Amino acid sequence: MDIPQDILNKFIVRKDYLDWINNEPSIFAYLDLTNMFHWQDVLGWKFRIKDVIRQLFTFPNIKEVKVYYGLNPRNQRDSEAFLNRIKKTGANLRPNPPKEMKFIKKDIDEALFFQRRTMTLFDRQIKSKIYELIDELKKSGIIIVEPKCNFDVEMTMDMLDDVEKITAIMLFSGDSDMQAPLERLRVKGKKIGIVGVRDMVAGELHRIKDKYIDFGKFYTGKRTYIESENPAFGGTA
């Protein structure tokens, strides 16, 4: 039996999150999927974008959900199917038509495997083994690429275009590049809600926010996927 979403919101979502959302007459949500997919590594579980969107639309004062993501030319069939699933939720897929992802060569170094803070926990012997592995990978000629598709400009333009329609925004991103448009919204009296996960929200956004919403304590959808649905990394439609 499927539990109604309003019941899930009431009993799973933190009350202060619900209060903040319900106190704003007109909220637009902006979802940066490239940023959000990286959250899954920190959370330790996978989420479904359609469940996120469905949950947002259960709040009557969230008037629009805008989703930003690109088209993967290396896996076009699955990528197009994924984008079509987003459109079917009623969300506004941006930009339209979608931008193509670019694939950026990554440096092979310790940052590819470990966060800087984690590296400080290793002793000299373990670090030596890590550097030996890195040297071997470099000698092998392996090239590692990462899909890249930034939407800072598109999100900024949309937010400024929407300013007369909203009293608040919910930004699903931790990117410090969003500081400038958020400051403009604050000047115009708009409330700023930042949705993110620990250690993946820039300090600049924390300083400008009115409300921080921990995604793991907000999301009520399924968490059972073994593989990410992100088609940029081989997810399927």
Side-chain angles (χ1 to χ4, degrees):
M1 181 184 70
D2 290 334
I3 301 174
Q5 185 62 55
D6 59 337
I7 301 297
L8 293 174
N9 289 341
K10 182 176 180 180
F11 287 97
I12 296 178
V13 180
R14 277 179 40 168
K15 184 178 182 301
D16 58 311
Y17 298 170
L18 296 176
D19 290 343
W20 188 85
I21 293 171
N22 291 328
N23 285 337
E24 290 299 327
S26 180
I27 301 173
F28 278 23
Y30 302 84
L31 282 62
D32 180 354
L33 296 198
T34 301
N35 196 282
M36 291 177 67
F37 278 126
H38 289 295
W39 296 355
Q40 298 179 133
D41 297 328
V42 175
L43 291 167
W45 44 266
K46 312 301 181 183
F47 55 82
R48 298 196 305 184
I49 296 301
K50 69 177 184 179
D51 287 349
V52 179
I53 297 169
R54 183 184 297 122
Q55 181 180 357
L56 290 171
F57 276 133
T58 61
F59 296 96
N61 45 348
I62 295 182
K63 305 300 184 182
E64 189 164 353
V65 177
K66 295 190 175 185
V67 178
Y68 299 80
Y69 202 57
L71 180 69
N72 180 1
R74 298 187 180 184
N75 188 9
Q76 188 157 333
R77 182 183 67 85
D78 287 342
S79 188
E80 287 177 346
F82 175 71
L83 296 179
N84 286 332
R85 291 208 309 272
I86 292 175
K87 292 177 183 177
K88 289 178 181 178
T89 65
N92 185 350
L93 182 63
R94 305 286 296 155
N96 187 20
K99 292 199 304 188
E100 282 197 357
M101 297 177 184
K102 300 183 184 298
F103 289 81
I104 309 300
K105 182 179 177 181
K106 291 183 67 69
D107 293 331
I108 299 178
D109 56 22
E110 62 272 20
L112 189 63
F113 304 99
F114 303 101
Q115 294 184 358
R116 183 180 302 175
R117 183 172 56 184
T118 303
M119 284 293 293
T120 64
L121 302 176
F122 298 145
D123 61 27
R124 183 178 300 176
Q125 184 176 6
I126 293 177
K127 287 181 180 178
S128 176
K129 292 293 184 182
I130 292 171
Y131 293 132
E132 285 180 19
L133 171 62
I134 291 169
D135 287 340
E136 288 299 320
L137 290 173
K138 288 180 177 179
K139 292 175 184 177
S140 72
I142 289 175
I143 297 175
I144 299 175
V145 296
E146 180 181 39
K148 194 79 171 176
C149 204
N150 291 330
F151 298 99
D152 302 342
V153 173
E154 290 84 356
M155 293 177 72
T156 296
M157 295 301 295
D158 283 351
M159 287 179 183
L160 297 180
D161 286 345
D162 296 337
V163 70
E164 300 302 327
K165 306 173 187 176
I166 61 174
T167 61
I169 70 161
M170 290 177 67
L171 174 63
F172 287 69
S173 176
D175 192 342
S176 62
D177 289 340
M178 298 308 298
Q179 178 185 4
L182 296 184
E183 287 177 341
R184 292 288 300 275
L185 293 179
R186 285 295 300 272
V187 168
K188 293 181 177 293
K190 310 305 177 181
K191 298 292 180 62
I192 309 297
I194 302 295
V195 185
V197 300
R198 66 183 184 277
D199 298 329
M200 295 199 72
V201 175
E204 293 90 339
L205 301 193
H206 273 298
R207 287 190 286 273
I208 201 171
K209 72 183 186 305
D210 292 289
K211 186 67 177 178
Y212 172 70
I213 295 175
D214 184 330
F215 179 78
K217 297 176 182 176
F218 174 79
Y219 175 71
T220 61
K222 293 184 178 179
R223 307 184 180 198
T224 54
Y225 283 167
I226 297 173
E227 296 180 354
S228 171
E229 64 174 329
N230 183 354
F233 293 97
T236 60

